[in-house]
Amino acid sequence: MTRPTPITTARRIFEERYPKAKVVLLAGSVIRGEGTAHSDLDLVVIYDELESAYRESFLFDGWPVEAFVHDPATLAYFTQQVDIPTGVPSLCHMVADGIAIGEESDLCLTLKRRAKALLDRGPDPLTDKEIDGLRYAISDQLDDLRAPRDHAEAVASATVLYGTLTNFWFRSQRQWSAKGKSIPRRV
């Protein structure tokens, strides 16, 4: 099946599913040119005001879609109080790097500037308690690797250790971290 382009699909989603939204940004692997045949379309959808933010997944024109639906206040909360403290600013990246679908309004430009400023600032330094927690997790995971019960347990332990080690290294360098499949790209 031939699918419409990501931008064509995002425009139709904006018009049909979110017609009252003020901003729709298309983000993720497809706009970075890294998409695969199974990649989804990541959308950040901004309304003037919402009762609460939400995330929804659906299929549209043959594309799987992940929509992160916010207003400016919930976007600020999720970027500053949820993403930034974890050291993995996924939503900030989607807003800063996203392609505006439709007019790039003043609101859109303001939100993109704020996201870029947060990214440029970098993460807060790790506290002594966070450093101790990460060191403990690394030591504990290394202990699991010393004497695994079987190969599957060793692979599982190494997988967890990989994420913990890379997060520790990035964060100890006051750099943004990553999770899962984003780690190799970040490294």
Side-chain angles (χ1 to χ4, degrees):
M1 175 180 155
T2 303
R3 302 183 290 194
T5 67
I7 291 176
T8 299
T9 300
R11 280 190 186 116
R12 288 198 53 225
I13 293 170
F14 188 177
E15 293 165 0
E16 295 177 25
R17 196 169 180 115
Y18 307 112
K20 294 183 180 180
K22 298 302 177 187
V23 175
V24 173
L25 298 168
L26 175 60
S29 61
V30 296
I31 66 147
R32 289 191 309 266
E34 300 169 351
T36 69
H38 300 285
S39 292
D40 63 359
L41 300 182
D42 294 309
L43 299 177
V44 180
V45 180
I46 308 294
Y47 285 90
D48 276 334
E49 189 173 345
L50 288 174
E51 188 172 314
S52 63
Y54 61 97
R55 178 179 175 176
E56 61 180 348
S57 302
F58 54 91
L59 291 173
F60 196 98
D61 284 345
W63 285 97
V65 179
E66 290 287 327
F68 303 84
V69 185
H70 290 274
D71 63 20
T74 63
L75 182 66
Y77 173 80
F78 274 88
T79 55
Q80 296 172 24
Q81 303 300 318
V82 177
D83 278 3
I84 297 298
T86 68
V88 183
S90 303
L91 191 55
C92 276
H93 277 295
M94 286 192 285
V95 173
D97 302 334
I99 295 171
I101 302 302
E103 178 187 338
E104 195 168 51
S105 65
D106 289 341
L107 175 60
C108 179
L109 293 171
T110 297
L111 296 174
K112 288 173 82 56
R113 273 194 303 274
R114 286 180 188 162
K116 181 149 178 24
L118 286 171
L119 291 170
D120 289 347
R121 186 193 86 195
D124 293 334
L126 290 171
T127 65
D128 289 343
K129 184 177 179 180
E130 290 169 322
I131 291 170
D132 288 346
L134 285 167
R135 286 181 175 157
Y136 174 81
I138 290 166
S139 297
D140 188 50
Q141 292 158 10
L142 284 170
D143 284 343
D144 291 343
L145 277 174
R146 286 179 204 208
R149 289 179 195 92
D150 56 35
H151 179 71
E153 189 175 283
V155 170
S157 296
T159 301
V160 172
L161 179 61
Y162 173 66
T164 306
L165 280 172
T166 55
N167 184 53
F168 180 73
W169 188 86
F170 284 125
R171 295 299 309 281
S172 68
Q173 303 299 309
R174 281 206 69 194
Q175 293 183 35
W176 293 116
S177 192
K179 290 182 183 175
K181 68 181 182 180
S182 299
I183 292 172
R185 185 172 55 249
R186 183 74 184 100
V187 169

